Amino acid sequence: MLNILTYGESILTEKANEITEFDQSLQRLIEEMHEAMQRDHGIGLAAPQVGTSKRLFIVGIDDEPLRVFINPHIVASSQETTELEEGCLSFPGLYFTVVRPLAVDIEAVDMHGKPFRISADGLLARVIQHEYDHLDGILFVDRVSPSKRKRALTHYGRMLKM
Ligand SMILES: [Zn+2]
């Protein structure tokens, strides 16, 4: 079973690499990420969170089929933004409100290397943007004001010592 890395691991703040091989090991990685995400009750997980520097993330909201995004690009974002409380499997127990575009268009390839494009809004758009950020080493704490970020991380540091 894959471990999910938590805040402080350097791979979480690094830019991940493009995927070029669509083989068995990629399929196995996706299956193992899916298991880890379900075990920790997440709705999204990016490969760097399991220690793999690859441009891959998965999204699984409620009972919807698992969505796999490889080498993704957000090609359009709505002007309209929305505030929503986010959590992250790499910051267990930390939640706070983040402002992001309400809707995005994303292009990616699936686990067989086949390109697709979707328009997403609501929770799906939110999870996509959060996971996409992980591929560039950007964490949700980087999307809030410096003072809020400092408060959150101080609080998080305190929680970890408990
Ligand atoms: Zn996250």
Side-chain angles (χ1 to χ4, degrees), residues 22 79 90:
F22 295 85
Q79 291 282 316
S90 295

Side-chain angles (χ1 to χ4, degrees), residues 7-78:
Y7 179 66
E9 296 279 351
S10 61
I11 194 169
L12 292 174
T13 53
E14 290 164 9
K15 201 171 156 75
N17 299 307
E18 292 272 318
I19 289 176
T20 52
E21 303 277 327
F22 295 85
D23 54 10
Q24 288 263 309
S25 69
L26 179 65
Q27 301 216 357
R28 193 160 54 243
L29 173 64
I30 292 165
E31 281 162 25
E32 289 179 353
M33 283 174 62
H34 191 191
E35 285 171 14
M37 182 178 77
Q38 288 185 318
R39 176 198 60 209
D40 289 9
H41 308 290
I43 53 176
L45 184 65
Q49 291 180 278
V50 295
T52 302
S53 179
K54 289 193 169 149
R55 301 189 75 77
L56 153 69
F57 67 80
I58 59 174
V59 178
I61 298 172
D62 299 330
D63 296 330
E64 289 174 18
L66 186 74
R67 295 171 189 268
V68 178
F69 298 84
I70 295 170
N71 300 338
H73 294 281
I74 290 178
V75 292
S77 303
S78 64

Side-chain angles (χ1 to χ4, degrees), residues 49 87-89 130-131 134:
Q49 291 180 278
C88 178
L89 291 176
H130 177 113
E131 301 309 330
H134 274 298

